[in-house]
Amino acid sequence: MNTKTSRYPLNLLGAFANNVITISEKPEYSFVKDHALLAALKSSYADFFEVFGKQTFSGLGKSVEEAYLLRDEPLKAMISILKGFEKITGYPFRQDGVDLLTIIDQYGSDIIDMNYAAETETIDKLISVLDGQVNLEKLARLNLSEVYETLKSRRTGFKSIFFRQTEANAGLRKQKSASSLKAGLIQNLRNYLDLVSAMKSVTGWDTLYAQLNEVAKAANNSVSTSKTTDSVDTKAQ
């Protein structure tokens, strides 16, 4: 598994680390849930996110606020539609709607009213559950697959804009802090991906490796080819 994390800008590094963690926390990968290396990665990402993820909109620009509001639209629509299905007695797929609404409520019926950091973390966890095959089938039967994919797409778009804008506005003090945090996050990503690579011949780990490898490829492709290559790429064999 080849990665180029030392060349990732902060927004891409943050998104990549978040994707690695989100995939690793899926129910089917419970065997890695309590592993020390994943815990270390999550801890370093939390520190990274603390600097770049908990700032008010006042200094982030109109585009970030617009992306935030756009992200909430499909989630609000899903909740509203599911509540509607819940009220239709005798509808053949009513139970699907009740089940999905129950899942959303488990992560907080007030998701929309949470602050940025809490809402982003909650939506990530919610999506990791809704991505399960059974729940995807329920969404399909209720004709909500497109709305759900819109939520996922806008979630990714918001994160990208937010991290990019925050990076651009960071002061010298935070830049120094970010440099240290980036190094720690890269090291913990390397350690964890080394583990997954070493275990890829084991059932279960092979699927985890395949999913993370696809995420790594996508991240690598996002790195501009015009950048210099004097940074040493990290590699997990």
Side-chain angles (χ1 to χ4, degrees):
M1 187 188 306
N2 292 315
T3 64
K4 302 176 180 178
T5 49
S6 60
R7 290 173 53 194
Y8 292 174
L10 294 181
N11 63 304
L12 179 58
L13 179 63
F16 176 59
N18 181 73
N19 286 336
V20 169
I21 293 170
T22 299
I23 290 172
S24 300
E25 289 184 328
K26 286 186 175 182
E28 55 264 44
Y29 304 131
S30 58
F31 52 82
V32 78
K33 179 179 66 174
D34 298 321
H35 199 285
L37 293 182
L38 178 58
L41 173 58
K42 290 166 66 176
S43 177
S44 61
Y45 174 71
D47 291 341
F48 182 93
F49 190 80
E50 184 73 23
V51 173
F52 295 98
K54 291 187 176 180
Q55 301 186 33
T56 62
F57 281 132
S58 59
L60 296 179
K62 186 177 180 181
S63 62
V64 175
E65 185 173 4
E66 289 176 347
Y68 174 81
L69 296 174
L70 282 173
R71 181 188 65 178
D72 279 356
E73 285 182 353
L75 180 58
K76 288 179 180 178
M78 280 182 57
I79 293 174
S80 178
I81 293 170
L82 291 173
K83 286 182 176 179
F85 283 129
E86 188 179 32
K87 298 176 181 178
I88 306 177
T89 303
Y91 180 64
F93 302 125
R94 175 181 178 276
Q95 190 58 47
D96 290 337
V98 172
D99 293 344
L100 293 171
L101 192 58
T102 299
I103 291 173
I104 293 175
D105 286 343
Q106 287 175 350
Y107 287 90
S109 57
D110 58 344
I111 293 176
I112 303 299
D113 298 322
M114 293 178 179
N115 61 39
Y116 163 68
E119 182 177 335
T120 298
E121 181 179 0
T122 300
I123 288 177
D124 285 344
K125 291 180 178 179
L126 175 61
I127 286 176
S128 71
V129 174
L130 293 179
D131 269 344
Q133 187 60 38
V134 172
N135 291 325
L136 290 176
E137 290 173 358
K138 291 178 180 179
L139 287 166
R141 286 195 291 269
L142 296 173
N143 295 315
L144 286 174
S145 297
E146 188 171 347
V147 176
Y148 178 58
E149 289 303 319
T150 299
L151 169 62
K152 292 171 67 176
S153 175
R154 291 186 179 181
R155 182 249 332 225
T156 301
F158 172 73
K159 282 186 172 182
S160 177
I161 293 172
F162 181 83
F163 275 110
R164 186 166 63 247
Q165 186 69 25
T166 304
E167 181 181 13
N169 292 340
L172 180 60
R173 180 180 62 83
K174 285 189 175 179
Q175 287 176 2
K176 290 180 178 179
S177 176
S179 177
S180 174
L181 291 171
K182 180 177 180 179
L185 186 55
I186 287 174
Q187 183 61 55
N188 282 307
L189 274 167
R190 176 191 297 174
N191 292 342
Y192 179 64
L193 294 177
D194 277 345
L195 167 70
V196 177
S197 296
M199 298 293 291
K200 66 181 179 180
S201 61
V202 178
T203 301
W205 288 87
D206 54 346
T207 306
L208 175 59
Y209 173 87
Q211 288 201 12
L212 294 181
N213 194 40
E214 288 304 311
V215 171
K217 288 179 181 178
N220 291 340
N221 289 337
S222 298
V223 179
S224 173
T225 56
S226 65
K227 288 186 176 181
T228 59
T229 58
D230 54 353
S231 296
V232 178
D233 295 348
T234 62
K235 176 179 288 190
Q237 295 289 2

